[in-house]
Amino acid sequence: MNKKIINKVTIFLFGLSDPWIPTIGRITSLCICVCGAGVTYLLGKRICQDIDVNSSWFIPFCFSLCFFFGPLIGFWGITNRPDVLATFFELMVIFVFVSGYLSSKSSSKHIGTLIVLYLLAWWTKQTAVASIVTICLFLIYDRNWKLLIPLVLII
């Protein structure tokens, strides 16, 4: 999922020249921001359903827009940076964990998906460890050793 690979494939498929590389990277970052806003919306909607908030779409929608198009990401959404892709993968890690944990069906599939998504985030940007550290701290707080020990041992 490296942006260099995406750039080379796009240049090959559409017959573009090298000056198009920054533009392809910017378009890729913007598409990742839109996908990340969708994942953030689904995460917020899942959490709002669990705590019985009456607003079924408004709060998650505003949160997703503020997260990916607000000051946190800001200008990165239209630049050629790996941070946006790493943030997207970290949000996917959190989404998979929350949806699996709230459904009380945490299984080896969820742990395997968490690990794969975490490794994708880490391979994109090596400082992208916040999601897995947060999940491990939550599992320590919740004293859920059954999920924590395999997660820590594999990572």
Side-chain angles (χ1 to χ4, degrees):
M1 296 305 288
N2 195 345
K3 283 194 176 186
K4 289 180 182 178
I5 295 171
I6 294 170
N7 289 339
K8 288 182 181 182
V9 168
T10 308
I11 287 172
F12 176 75
L13 287 176
F14 295 110
L16 302 173
S17 59
D18 287 344
W20 277 93
I21 291 175
T23 305
I24 294 168
R26 289 181 184 117
I27 292 170
T28 304
S29 291
L30 187 61
C31 290
I32 292 168
C33 277
V34 170
C35 292
V39 169
T40 308
Y41 171 76
L42 293 174
L43 176 65
K45 191 169 181 177
R46 179 70 173 109
I47 291 171
C48 284
Q49 286 174 351
D50 191 57
I51 59 174
D52 294 327
V53 174
N54 291 333
S55 175
S56 61
W57 67 272
F58 184 71
I59 293 173
F61 180 73
C62 290
F63 176 69
S64 66
L65 286 181
C66 288
F67 189 81
F68 264 98
F69 297 106
L72 181 65
I73 300 291
F75 188 64
W76 289 357
I78 56 171
T79 59
N80 201 0
R81 296 186 58 101
D83 302 82
V84 178
L85 188 58
T87 305
F88 170 74
F89 283 132
E90 283 198 296
L91 276 171
M92 287 294 295
V93 167
I94 293 171
F95 176 72
V96 168
F97 175 75
V98 166
S99 62
Y101 198 80
L102 292 178
S103 68
S104 299
K105 295 179 184 175
S106 297
S107 63
S108 59
K109 287 182 188 178
H110 286 101
I111 293 175
T113 307
L114 284 175
I115 292 168
V116 167
L117 288 170
Y118 166 70
L119 289 176
L120 286 171
W122 186 76
W123 286 331
T124 305
K125 182 93 173 157
Q126 283 73 30
T127 59
V129 295
S131 62
I132 204 71
V133 169
T134 304
I135 289 170
C136 288
L137 288 175
F138 174 77
L139 291 174
I140 289 170
Y141 173 76
D142 199 37
R143 297 176 191 240
N144 192 340
W145 312 117
K146 186 178 177 182
L147 287 176
L148 178 68
I149 291 172
L151 189 64
V152 170
L153 288 177
I154 293 173
I155 289 179

